[in-house]
Amino acid sequence: SKKPVRVAVTGAAGQIGYALLFRIASGEMLGKDQPVILQLLEIPDEKAQKALKGVMMELEDCAFPLLAGMEAHGSPETGFKDTDYALLVGARPRGPGMERADLLAANAQIFTAQGKALDKAASRDVKVLVVGNPANTNAYIAMKSAPSLKRENFTAMLRLDHNRALSQIAAKTGKPVASIKSLCVWGNHSPTMYADYRFATIDGKSVKDMINDQVWNKDVFLPTVGKRGAAIIEARGLSSAASAANAAIDHMRDWALGTKGEWVTMGVPSNGEYGIPKDVMFGFPVTTEGGQYKIVEGLPIDAFSQECINKTLAELQGEQDGVKHLL
Ligand code: NAI
């Protein structure tokens, strides 16, 4: 049988953690033949560590055959030791009266420290997924704080936006979600993201032609996907957790195990593709194989798409500028 791999999860006692850990331990992320050791990280606070112990008791009580070990940590230096996969879920939420700049600064501090700890302690091939918001900028900060690791191994989660877009298109066309190919989401994980179905197909037919309604695209589809997080908070009184955990599983599984030519969306550092400046952590269509992703290149960008891409890029660059002095 395979040698266990080490999976670190931060914010492990939070809502997303609770929807995520059991699925990782059951083999849904890395395969039903891959044993895992969970390295669970929470803030050192007594209450958080106690809650984490409770989650670990439940993990034990599942008797998962693939769970080869489990550790609780209060610091990233120990939590990230030799880790092969790191899911950075914990982040500082926006408190009452907190300005955007304060939020960026608080998270810059967390992700600088975590990037440095990964740089020092993690496996040299560690694959990092940042879920905690602002996810793209937090991933950018962690990448910049880990100069000895491969920059392309730092990624941000756009997969929830991608999956939300898939479901909206399935509902609009009346076709099963699994039949939709070649959808992508460009840019920032925020309401400015640009979900793009111009290249999407269902049974070989163009989704754009099937829908044939640019007003729906602009006035219904994009706002629905973009504001879905807020709609869930409004309905549930809590932010998306199970769907976010599911997207994290999808992102890591596809990165590790391959997409067989299918497109998925990942937030990854640009190498200059589509005029996005180098290192901007941007949602792109990618395919993956052998543990590596490749940005899908050469897609035509029309005027409307360019406008959308420019808007989400400008927002991301604004966030980056806001943390520049902290790096
Ligand atoms: P939560 O508040 O339930 O849990 C977060 C946990 O992280 C808490 O237990 C907290 O103690 C812990 N934490 C905070 N700072 C930490 C640090 N420095 N090290 C280790 N642990 C730390 O929040 P929830 O609902 O689990 O969401 C987590 C994050 O994911 C939030 O930032 C949220 O905005 C984000 N999110 C991102 C999505 C995406 O699509 N990228 C979708 C949904 C949520």
Side-chain angles (χ1 to χ4, degrees):
S1 67
K2 285 189 175 174
K3 184 171 167 278
V5 294
R6 296 185 159 270
V7 180
V9 179
T10 75
Q15 296 199 80
I16 295 177
Y18 196 70
L20 178 64
L21 298 174
F22 299 85
R23 296 186 61 190
I24 298 174
S26 76
E28 287 181 66
M29 186 169 89
L30 296 171
K32 298 282 181 185
D33 59 346
Q34 178 59 66
V36 294
I37 297 168
L38 289 175
Q39 303 178 211
L40 305 174
L41 187 61
E42 259 296 341
I43 50 175
D45 169 81
E46 202 178 314
K47 216 172 132 214
Q49 290 293 325
K50 192 172 167 207
L52 178 55
K53 292 286 167 355
V55 175
M56 291 169 78
M57 287 161 69
E58 285 204 72
L59 279 160
E60 259 172 32
D61 293 349
C62 293
F64 288 119
L66 290 171
L67 187 56
M70 175 163 58
E71 306 161 0
H73 293 276
S75 101
E77 284 78 16
T78 59
F80 293 153
K81 182 139 179 38
D82 298 328
T83 196
D84 301 293
Y85 298 88
L87 292 89
L88 309 187
V89 177
R92 179 72 190 275
R94 190 189 290 244
M98 201 172 176
E99 295 293 332
R100 214 176 84 99
D102 303 333
L103 182 76
L104 279 170
N107 280 297
Q109 203 180 2
I110 294 173
F111 286 86
T112 307
Q114 293 190 353
K116 284 184 178 153
L118 285 164
D119 198 55
K120 214 164 108 190
S123 153
R124 298 300 84 188
D125 292 316
V126 63
K127 288 178 161 59
V128 182
L129 168 62
V130 176
V131 175
N133 280 320
N136 297 52
T137 294
N138 289 342
Y140 172 81
I141 293 167
M143 174 183 80
K144 287 292 181 190
S145 307
S148 74
L149 297 174
K150 299 183 196 87
R151 58 190 273 291
E152 65 268 24
N153 279 5
F154 286 81
T155 68
M157 193 164 93
L158 269 292
R159 186 59 175 264
L160 182 53
D161 309 272
H162 180 101
N163 288 347
R164 285 168 173 165
L166 280 176
S167 276
Q168 294 302 319
I169 288 171
K172 177 74 175 172
T173 58
K175 302 285 185 187
V177 115
S179 66
I180 305 166
K181 310 290 178 206
S182 305
L183 179 82
C184 66
V185 180
W186 305 90
N188 199 7
H189 168 65
S190 94
T192 66
M193 61 88 232
Y194 173 44
D196 184 358
Y197 59 78
R198 289 176 303 137
F199 312 107
T201 59
I202 294 175
D203 302 327
K205 289 199 281 286
S206 159
V207 166
K208 184 167 181 260
D209 292 348
M210 287 170 76
I211 294 174
N212 192 25
D213 189 347
Q214 177 60 12
V215 174
W216 180 79
N217 181 30
K218 187 167 166 290
D219 294 346
V220 180
F221 174 68
L222 289 173
T224 301
V225 177
K227 294 178 193 157
R228 188 70 165 182
I232 288 174
I233 293 175
E234 163 65 24
R236 210 171 81 90
L238 286 167
S239 67
S240 349
S243 55
N246 179 68
I249 297 265
D250 284 352
H251 178 117
M252 281 306 211
R253 183 200 58 224
D254 285 344
W255 190 2
L257 305 180
T259 61
K260 302 191 173 70
E262 301 287 342
W263 298 11
V264 292
T265 300
M266 289 171 65
V268 303
S270 173
N271 309 294
E273 292 87 351
Y274 299 98
I276 307 305
K278 183 159 188 279
D279 285 353
V280 172
M281 196 62 69
F282 206 76
F284 284 110
V286 303
T287 57
T288 71
E289 196 185 347
Q292 312 284 333
Y293 62 82
K294 231 173 81 192
I295 295 174
V296 178
E297 291 195 70
L299 299 169
I301 304 297
D302 60 19
F304 175 75
S305 302
Q306 191 64 59
E307 201 181 299
C308 294
I309 287 173
N310 290 348
K311 188 169 146 208
T312 193
L313 173 62
E315 181 186 55
L316 261 177
Q317 287 183 304
E319 289 181 16
Q320 271 184 29
D321 282 346
V323 297
K324 210 169 11 192
H325 62 291
L326 302 165
L327 295 182

mmCIF file of all heavy atoms in Angstrom, residues 119-162:
data_model
loop_
_atom_site.group_PDB
_atom_site.id
_atom_site.type_symbol
_atom_site.label_atom_id
_atom_site.label_comp_id
_atom_site.label_asym_id
_atom_site.label_seq_id
_atom_site.Cartn_x
_atom_site.Cartn_y
_atom_site.Cartn_z
ATOM 1 N N ASP A 119 7.976 27.790 3.965
ATOM 2 C CA ASP A 119 9.304 27.904 3.356
ATOM 3 C C ASP A 119 10.333 27.121 4.155
ATOM 4 O O ASP A 119 11.211 26.462 3.608
ATOM 5 C CB ASP A 119 9.682 29.393 3.310
ATOM 6 C CG ASP A 119 10.809 29.691 2.340
ATOM 7 O OD1 ASP A 119 10.673 29.317 1.151
ATOM 8 O OD2 ASP A 119 11.811 30.287 2.755
ATOM 9 N N LYS A 120 10.202 27.211 5.468
ATOM 10 C CA LYS A 120 11.179 26.602 6.354
ATOM 11 C C LYS A 120 10.914 25.109 6.557
ATOM 12 O O LYS A 120 11.848 24.309 6.563
ATOM 13 C CB LYS A 120 11.084 27.311 7.719
ATOM 14 C CG LYS A 120 12.413 27.438 8.436
ATOM 15 C CD LYS A 120 12.342 28.456 9.548
ATOM 16 C CE LYS A 120 12.357 27.747 10.889
ATOM 17 N NZ LYS A 120 12.053 28.676 11.992
ATOM 18 N N ALA A 121 9.649 24.743 6.702
ATOM 19 C CA ALA A 121 9.366 23.419 7.261
ATOM 20 C C ALA A 121 8.725 22.417 6.306
ATOM 21 O O ALA A 121 8.840 21.206 6.511
ATOM 22 C CB ALA A 121 8.458 23.584 8.482
ATOM 23 N N ALA A 122 8.032 22.899 5.277
ATOM 24 C CA ALA A 122 7.216 21.984 4.464
ATOM 25 C C ALA A 122 8.066 21.176 3.497
ATOM 26 O O ALA A 122 9.230 21.509 3.240
ATOM 27 C CB ALA A 122 6.172 22.782 3.690
ATOM 28 N N SER A 123 7.472 20.140 2.940
ATOM 29 C CA SER A 123 8.076 19.398 1.829
ATOM 30 C C SER A 123 8.410 20.386 0.718
ATOM 31 O O SER A 123 7.683 21.353 0.493
ATOM 32 C CB SER A 123 7.066 18.357 1.318
ATOM 33 O OG SER A 123 7.302 18.080 -0.047
ATOM 34 N N ARG A 124 9.522 20.137 0.004
ATOM 35 C CA ARG A 124 9.936 21.048 -1.073
ATOM 36 C C ARG A 124 8.933 21.053 -2.236
ATOM 37 O O ARG A 124 8.988 21.942 -3.082
ATOM 38 C CB ARG A 124 11.341 20.682 -1.582
ATOM 39 C CG ARG A 124 12.459 20.787 -0.541
ATOM 40 C CD ARG A 124 12.610 22.198 0.039
ATOM 41 N NE ARG A 124 11.706 22.499 1.138
ATOM 42 C CZ ARG A 124 11.578 23.727 1.678
ATOM 43 N NH1 ARG A 124 12.276 24.741 1.214
ATOM 44 N NH2 ARG A 124 10.750 23.937 2.675
ATOM 45 N N ASP A 125 8.059 20.085 -2.282
ATOM 46 C CA ASP A 125 7.051 20.034 -3.353
ATOM 47 C C ASP A 125 5.651 20.357 -2.847
ATOM 48 O O ASP A 125 4.662 20.061 -3.527
ATOM 49 C CB ASP A 125 7.028 18.635 -3.985
ATOM 50 C CG ASP A 125 8.303 18.360 -4.755
ATOM 51 O OD1 ASP A 125 8.752 19.259 -5.491
ATOM 52 O OD2 ASP A 125 8.862 17.252 -4.594
ATOM 53 N N VAL A 126 5.567 20.952 -1.663
ATOM 54 C CA VAL A 126 4.243 21.176 -1.061
ATOM 55 C C VAL A 126 3.314 21.905 -2.026
ATOM 56 O O VAL A 126 3.714 22.852 -2.707
ATOM 57 C CB VAL A 126 4.373 21.958 0.271
ATOM 58 C CG1 VAL A 126 4.951 23.349 0.063
ATOM 59 C CG2 VAL A 126 3.020 22.032 0.990
ATOM 60 N N LYS A 127 2.090 21.419 -2.101
ATOM 61 C CA LYS A 127 1.046 22.078 -2.892
ATOM 62 C C LYS A 127 0.162 22.854 -1.924
ATOM 63 O O LYS A 127 -0.401 22.273 -0.994
ATOM 64 C CB LYS A 127 0.210 21.034 -3.637
ATOM 65 C CG LYS A 127 0.933 20.379 -4.802
ATOM 66 C CD LYS A 127 0.031 19.339 -5.440
ATOM 67 C CE LYS A 127 0.458 18.983 -6.846
ATOM 68 N NZ LYS A 127 1.827 18.455 -6.942
ATOM 69 N N VAL A 128 0.039 24.152 -2.156
ATOM 70 C CA VAL A 128 -0.663 25.025 -1.219
ATOM 71 C C VAL A 128 -1.944 25.555 -1.849
ATOM 72 O O VAL A 128 -1.921 26.065 -2.979
ATOM 73 C CB VAL A 128 0.236 26.223 -0.823
ATOM 74 C CG1 VAL A 128 -0.466 27.107 0.198
ATOM 75 C CG2 VAL A 128 1.584 25.740 -0.296
ATOM 76 N N LEU A 129 -3.045 25.429 -1.132
ATOM 77 C CA LEU A 129 -4.317 26.027 -1.554
ATOM 78 C C LEU A 129 -4.759 27.012 -0.481
ATOM 79 O O LEU A 129 -4.931 26.620 0.678
ATOM 80 C CB LEU A 129 -5.401 24.953 -1.719
ATOM 81 C CG LEU A 129 -6.829 25.498 -1.868
ATOM 82 C CD1 LEU A 129 -6.980 26.357 -3.110
ATOM 83 C CD2 LEU A 129 -7.843 24.354 -1.871
ATOM 84 N N VAL A 130 -4.963 28.257 -0.856
ATOM 85 C CA VAL A 130 -5.480 29.242 0.093
ATOM 86 C C VAL A 130 -6.984 29.409 -0.120
ATOM 87 O O VAL A 130 -7.435 29.718 -1.229
ATOM 88 C CB VAL A 130 -4.754 30.598 -0.042
ATOM 89 C CG1 VAL A 130 -5.376 31.625 0.891
ATOM 90 C CG2 VAL A 130 -3.268 30.431 0.254
ATOM 91 N N VAL A 131 -7.725 29.173 0.956
ATOM 92 C CA VAL A 131 -9.191 29.315 0.956
ATOM 93 C C VAL A 131 -9.586 30.586 1.716
ATOM 94 O O VAL A 131 -10.518 31.290 1.336
ATOM 95 C CB VAL A 131 -9.842 28.071 1.610
ATOM 96 C CG1 VAL A 131 -11.348 28.244 1.742
ATOM 97 C CG2 VAL A 131 -9.519 26.812 0.805
ATOM 98 N N GLY A 132 -8.860 30.876 2.790
ATOM 99 C CA GLY A 132 -9.194 32.017 3.653
ATOM 100 C C GLY A 132 -9.147 33.326 2.886
ATOM 101 O O GLY A 132 -8.214 33.572 2.127
ATOM 102 N N ASN A 133 -10.141 34.154 3.079
ATOM 103 C CA ASN A 133 -10.265 35.411 2.315
ATOM 104 C C ASN A 133 -9.474 36.561 2.911
ATOM 105 O O ASN A 133 -9.280 36.589 4.124
ATOM 106 C CB ASN A 133 -11.750 35.794 2.241
ATOM 107 C CG ASN A 133 -12.454 35.008 1.162
ATOM 108 O OD1 ASN A 133 -11.905 34.794 0.096
ATOM 109 N ND2 ASN A 133 -13.672 34.570 1.455
ATOM 110 N N PRO A 134 -9.049 37.514 2.098
ATOM 111 C CA PRO A 134 -9.154 37.543 0.630
ATOM 112 C C PRO A 134 -8.192 36.536 -0.010
ATOM 113 O O PRO A 134 -6.975 36.719 0.047
ATOM 114 C CB PRO A 134 -8.763 38.980 0.274
ATOM 115 C CG PRO A 134 -7.913 39.444 1.426
ATOM 116 C CD PRO A 134 -8.379 38.710 2.648
ATOM 117 N N ALA A 135 -8.759 35.459 -0.583
ATOM 118 C CA ALA A 135 -7.973 34.260 -0.905
ATOM 119 C C ALA A 135 -6.832 34.545 -1.886
ATOM 120 O O ALA A 135 -5.703 34.092 -1.671
ATOM 121 C CB ALA A 135 -8.899 33.172 -1.449
ATOM 122 N N ASN A 136 -7.111 35.281 -2.955
ATOM 123 C CA ASN A 136 -6.048 35.501 -3.954
ATOM 124 C C ASN A 136 -4.880 36.268 -3.345
ATOM 125 O O ASN A 136 -3.720 35.905 -3.546
ATOM 126 C CB ASN A 136 -6.570 36.285 -5.164
ATOM 127 C CG ASN A 136 -7.657 35.551 -5.918
ATOM 128 O OD1 ASN A 136 -8.635 35.117 -5.313
ATOM 129 N ND2 ASN A 136 -7.511 35.414 -7.220
ATOM 130 N N THR A 137 -5.212 37.315 -2.611
ATOM 131 C CA THR A 137 -4.152 38.151 -2.044
ATOM 132 C C THR A 137 -3.428 37.415 -0.927
ATOM 133 O O THR A 137 -2.206 37.508 -0.809
ATOM 134 C CB THR A 137 -4.745 39.501 -1.591
ATOM 135 O OG1 THR A 137 -5.192 40.174 -2.779
ATOM 136 C CG2 THR A 137 -3.722 40.373 -0.889
ATOM 137 N N ASN A 138 -4.145 36.638 -0.138
ATOM 138 C CA ASN A 138 -3.480 35.838 0.895
ATOM 139 C C ASN A 138 -2.521 34.827 0.258
ATOM 140 O O ASN A 138 -1.420 34.598 0.776
ATOM 141 C CB ASN A 138 -4.517 35.119 1.772
ATOM 142 C CG ASN A 138 -5.273 36.077 2.674
ATOM 143 O OD1 ASN A 138 -4.828 37.200 2.908
ATOM 144 N ND2 ASN A 138 -6.418 35.640 3.183
ATOM 145 N N ALA A 139 -2.925 34.233 -0.855
ATOM 146 C CA ALA A 139 -2.050 33.273 -1.542
ATOM 147 C C ALA A 139 -0.820 33.986 -2.103
ATOM 148 O O ALA A 139 0.295 33.461 -2.049
ATOM 149 C CB ALA A 139 -2.814 32.577 -2.668
ATOM 150 N N TYR A 140 -1.034 35.170 -2.621
ATOM 151 C CA TYR A 140 0.069 35.986 -3.151
ATOM 152 C C TYR A 140 1.078 36.295 -2.035
ATOM 153 O O TYR A 140 2.287 36.152 -2.217
ATOM 154 C CB TYR A 140 -0.527 37.267 -3.733
ATOM 155 C CG TYR A 140 0.482 38.308 -4.150
ATOM 156 C CD1 TYR A 140 1.137 38.228 -5.375
ATOM 157 C CD2 TYR A 140 0.768 39.401 -3.321
ATOM 158 C CE1 TYR A 140 2.058 39.196 -5.755
ATOM 159 C CE2 TYR A 140 1.675 40.374 -3.692
ATOM 160 C CZ TYR A 140 2.322 40.265 -4.912
ATOM 161 O OH TYR A 140 3.227 41.223 -5.280
ATOM 162 N N ILE A 141 0.564 36.674 -0.874
ATOM 163 C CA ILE A 141 1.426 36.999 0.271
ATOM 164 C C ILE A 141 2.214 35.763 0.710
ATOM 165 O O ILE A 141 3.429 35.837 0.939
ATOM 166 C CB ILE A 141 0.576 37.535 1.448
ATOM 167 C CG1 ILE A 141 -0.043 38.879 1.083
ATOM 168 C CG2 ILE A 141 1.408 37.643 2.721
ATOM 169 C CD1 ILE A 141 -1.139 39.326 2.036
ATOM 170 N N ALA A 142 1.532 34.626 0.813
ATOM 171 C CA ALA A 142 2.224 33.397 1.235
ATOM 172 C C ALA A 142 3.314 33.034 0.225
ATOM 173 O O ALA A 142 4.437 32.694 0.609
ATOM 174 C CB ALA A 142 1.215 32.256 1.382
ATOM 175 N N MET A 143 2.986 33.144 -1.053
ATOM 176 C CA MET A 143 3.977 32.836 -2.104
ATOM 177 C C MET A 143 5.198 33.744 -1.981
ATOM 178 O O MET A 143 6.335 33.271 -2.027
ATOM 179 C CB MET A 143 3.318 33.018 -3.473
ATOM 180 C CG MET A 143 4.264 32.869 -4.653
ATOM 181 S SD MET A 143 3.439 33.183 -6.238
ATOM 182 C CE MET A 143 3.425 34.979 -6.262
ATOM 183 N N LYS A 144 4.946 35.037 -1.794
ATOM 184 C CA LYS A 144 6.046 36.007 -1.702
ATOM 185 C C LYS A 144 6.874 35.806 -0.434
ATOM 186 O O LYS A 144 8.015 36.243 -0.362
ATOM 187 C CB LYS A 144 5.488 37.444 -1.715
ATOM 188 C CG LYS A 144 4.986 37.887 -3.071
ATOM 189 C CD LYS A 144 6.151 38.035 -4.036
ATOM 190 C CE LYS A 144 5.717 38.508 -5.411
ATOM 191 N NZ LYS A 144 6.821 38.427 -6.389
ATOM 192 N N SER A 145 6.283 35.149 0.567
ATOM 193 C CA SER A 145 6.982 34.936 1.833
ATOM 194 C C SER A 145 7.721 33.599 1.858
ATOM 195 O O SER A 145 8.307 33.238 2.874
ATOM 196 C CB SER A 145 5.994 34.998 3.000
ATOM 197 O OG SER A 145 5.254 36.191 2.947
ATOM 198 N N ALA A 146 7.653 32.877 0.752
ATOM 199 C CA ALA A 146 8.275 31.535 0.699
ATOM 200 C C ALA A 146 9.187 31.422 -0.516
ATOM 201 O O ALA A 146 8.927 30.648 -1.432
ATOM 202 C CB ALA A 146 7.182 30.471 0.656
ATOM 203 N N PRO A 147 10.281 32.194 -0.525
ATOM 204 C CA PRO A 147 11.105 32.281 -1.738
ATOM 205 C C PRO A 147 11.792 30.978 -2.142
ATOM 206 O O PRO A 147 12.171 30.832 -3.295
ATOM 207 C CB PRO A 147 12.151 33.360 -1.380
ATOM 208 C CG PRO A 147 12.159 33.421 0.107
ATOM 209 C CD PRO A 147 10.771 33.075 0.549
ATOM 210 N N SER A 148 11.935 30.020 -1.204
ATOM 211 C CA SER A 148 12.644 28.797 -1.591
ATOM 212 C C SER A 148 11.698 27.716 -2.123
ATOM 213 O O SER A 148 12.145 26.656 -2.564
ATOM 214 C CB SER A 148 13.482 28.265 -0.422
ATOM 215 O OG SER A 148 12.638 27.685 0.547
ATOM 216 N N LEU A 149 10.400 27.996 -2.109
ATOM 217 C CA LEU A 149 9.444 27.030 -2.667
ATOM 218 C C LEU A 149 9.057 27.467 -4.074
ATOM 219 O O LEU A 149 9.210 28.634 -4.443
ATOM 220 C CB LEU A 149 8.200 26.945 -1.777
ATOM 221 C CG LEU A 149 8.460 26.430 -0.359
ATOM 222 C CD1 LEU A 149 7.178 26.519 0.482
ATOM 223 C CD2 LEU A 149 8.983 24.997 -0.382
ATOM 224 N N LYS A 150 8.544 26.526 -4.846
ATOM 225 C CA LYS A 150 8.143 26.846 -6.224
ATOM 226 C C LYS A 150 6.931 27.775 -6.200
ATOM 227 O O LYS A 150 5.916 27.468 -5.580
ATOM 228 C CB LYS A 150 7.761 25.576 -6.981
ATOM 229 C CG LYS A 150 8.881 24.569 -7.093
ATOM 230 C CD LYS A 150 8.410 23.376 -7.937
ATOM 231 C CE LYS A 150 9.298 22.175 -7.779
ATOM 232 N NZ LYS A 150 8.950 21.299 -6.644
ATOM 233 N N ARG A 151 7.034 28.900 -6.892
ATOM 234 C CA ARG A 151 5.934 29.873 -6.869
ATOM 235 C C ARG A 151 4.646 29.276 -7.420
ATOM 236 O O ARG A 151 3.551 29.588 -6.952
ATOM 237 C CB ARG A 151 6.308 31.171 -7.610
ATOM 238 C CG ARG A 151 6.694 30.968 -9.037
ATOM 239 C CD ARG A 151 7.291 32.227 -9.655
ATOM 240 N NE ARG A 151 6.299 33.136 -10.208
ATOM 241 C CZ ARG A 151 5.562 32.903 -11.287
ATOM 242 N NH1 ARG A 151 5.672 31.761 -11.961
ATOM 243 N NH2 ARG A 151 4.701 33.799 -11.716
ATOM 244 N N GLU A 152 4.779 28.383 -8.405
ATOM 245 C CA GLU A 152 3.571 27.816 -9.023
ATOM 246 C C GLU A 152 2.841 26.864 -8.079
ATOM 247 O O GLU A 152 1.719 26.454 -8.373
ATOM 248 C CB GLU A 152 3.895 27.128 -10.356
ATOM 249 C CG GLU A 152 4.782 25.893 -10.268
ATOM 250 C CD GLU A 152 6.270 26.208 -10.428
ATOM 251 O OE1 GLU A 152 6.690 27.362 -10.160
ATOM 252 O OE2 GLU A 152 7.028 25.290 -10.794
ATOM 253 N N ASN A 153 3.453 26.515 -6.944
ATOM 254 C CA ASN A 153 2.778 25.630 -6.003
ATOM 255 C C ASN A 153 1.891 26.378 -5.008
ATOM 256 O O ASN A 153 1.307 25.769 -4.110
ATOM 257 C CB ASN A 153 3.789 24.746 -5.281
ATOM 258 C CG ASN A 153 4.174 23.552 -6.155
ATOM 259 O OD1 ASN A 153 3.755 23.463 -7.305
ATOM 260 N ND2 ASN A 153 4.966 22.653 -5.615
ATOM 261 N N PHE A 154 1.777 27.697 -5.174
ATOM 262 C CA PHE A 154 0.845 28.486 -4.368
ATOM 263 C C PHE A 154 -0.380 28.815 -5.217
ATOM 264 O O PHE A 154 -0.253 29.384 -6.293
ATOM 265 C CB PHE A 154 1.524 29.766 -3.869
ATOM 266 C CG PHE A 154 2.504 29.478 -2.772
ATOM 267 C CD1 PHE A 154 3.787 29.025 -3.061
ATOM 268 C CD2 PHE A 154 2.122 29.597 -1.442
ATOM 269 C CE1 PHE A 154 4.681 28.710 -2.046
ATOM 270 C CE2 PHE A 154 3.018 29.285 -0.426
ATOM 271 C CZ PHE A 154 4.293 28.847 -0.721
ATOM 272 N N THR A 155 -1.541 28.444 -4.714
ATOM 273 C CA THR A 155 -2.771 28.644 -5.487
ATOM 274 C C THR A 155 -3.883 29.190 -4.583
ATOM 275 O O THR A 155 -3.825 29.054 -3.363
ATOM 276 C CB THR A 155 -3.251 27.314 -6.117
ATOM 277 O OG1 THR A 155 -3.687 26.420 -5.082
ATOM 278 C CG2 THR A 155 -2.152 26.640 -6.935
ATOM 279 N N ALA A 156 -4.858 29.816 -5.215
ATOM 280 C CA ALA A 156 -6.015 30.343 -4.482
ATOM 281 C C ALA A 156 -7.281 29.667 -4.996
ATOM 282 O O ALA A 156 -7.338 29.227 -6.149
ATOM 283 C CB ALA A 156 -6.115 31.858 -4.684
ATOM 284 N N MET A 157 -8.287 29.605 -4.152
ATOM 285 C CA MET A 157 -9.498 28.864 -4.520
ATOM 286 C C MET A 157 -10.508 29.721 -5.289
ATOM 287 O O MET A 157 -11.124 30.625 -4.736
ATOM 288 C CB MET A 157 -10.165 28.282 -3.281
ATOM 289 C CG MET A 157 -11.231 27.259 -3.673
ATOM 290 S SD MET A 157 -11.712 26.230 -2.312
ATOM 291 C CE MET A 157 -13.125 27.140 -1.702
ATOM 292 N N LEU A 158 -10.664 29.399 -6.557
ATOM 293 C CA LEU A 158 -11.724 29.950 -7.408
ATOM 294 C C LEU A 158 -12.739 28.859 -7.741
ATOM 295 O O LEU A 158 -13.686 29.095 -8.491
ATOM 296 C CB LEU A 158 -11.109 30.470 -8.711
ATOM 297 C CG LEU A 158 -10.653 31.934 -8.808
ATOM 298 C CD1 LEU A 158 -11.844 32.879 -8.780
ATOM 299 C CD2 LEU A 158 -9.669 32.296 -7.735
ATOM 300 N N ARG A 159 -12.529 27.669 -7.195
ATOM 301 C CA ARG A 159 -13.329 26.531 -7.609
ATOM 302 C C ARG A 159 -14.782 26.641 -7.153
ATOM 303 O O ARG A 159 -15.690 26.139 -7.805
ATOM 304 C CB ARG A 159 -12.703 25.232 -7.089
ATOM 305 C CG ARG A 159 -13.371 23.961 -7.579
ATOM 306 C CD ARG A 159 -13.345 23.864 -9.115
ATOM 307 N NE ARG A 159 -13.884 22.596 -9.564
ATOM 308 C CZ ARG A 159 -13.150 21.519 -9.870
ATOM 309 N NH1 ARG A 159 -11.832 21.571 -9.785
ATOM 310 N NH2 ARG A 159 -13.718 20.404 -10.267
ATOM 311 N N LEU A 160 -14.998 27.338 -6.050
ATOM 312 C CA LEU A 160 -16.385 27.503 -5.614
ATOM 313 C C LEU A 160 -17.135 28.369 -6.619
ATOM 314 O O LEU A 160 -18.278 28.069 -6.979
ATOM 315 C CB LEU A 160 -16.436 28.096 -4.195
ATOM 316 C CG LEU A 160 -17.824 28.287 -3.589
ATOM 317 C CD1 LEU A 160 -18.655 27.015 -3.623
ATOM 318 C CD2 LEU A 160 -17.714 28.801 -2.155
ATOM 319 N N ASP A 161 -16.490 29.405 -7.117
ATOM 320 C CA ASP A 161 -17.115 30.245 -8.144
ATOM 321 C C ASP A 161 -17.379 29.408 -9.408
ATOM 322 O O ASP A 161 -18.427 29.527 -10.037
ATOM 323 C CB ASP A 161 -16.183 31.418 -8.478
ATOM 324 C CG ASP A 161 -15.739 32.146 -7.228
ATOM 325 O OD1 ASP A 161 -16.455 33.062 -6.802
ATOM 326 O OD2 ASP A 161 -14.697 31.767 -6.634
ATOM 327 N N HIS A 162 -16.400 28.590 -9.770
ATOM 328 C CA HIS A 162 -16.522 27.707 -10.934
ATOM 329 C C HIS A 162 -17.726 26.765 -10.770
ATOM 330 O O HIS A 162 -18.551 26.624 -11.675
ATOM 331 C CB HIS A 162 -15.207 26.920 -11.073
ATOM 332 C CG HIS A 162 -15.151 25.966 -12.218
ATOM 333 N ND1 HIS A 162 -14.499 26.242 -13.395
ATOM 334 C CD2 HIS A 162 -15.662 24.713 -12.366
ATOM 335 C CE1 HIS A 162 -14.615 25.212 -14.222
ATOM 336 N NE2 HIS A 162 -15.311 24.270 -13.616
#
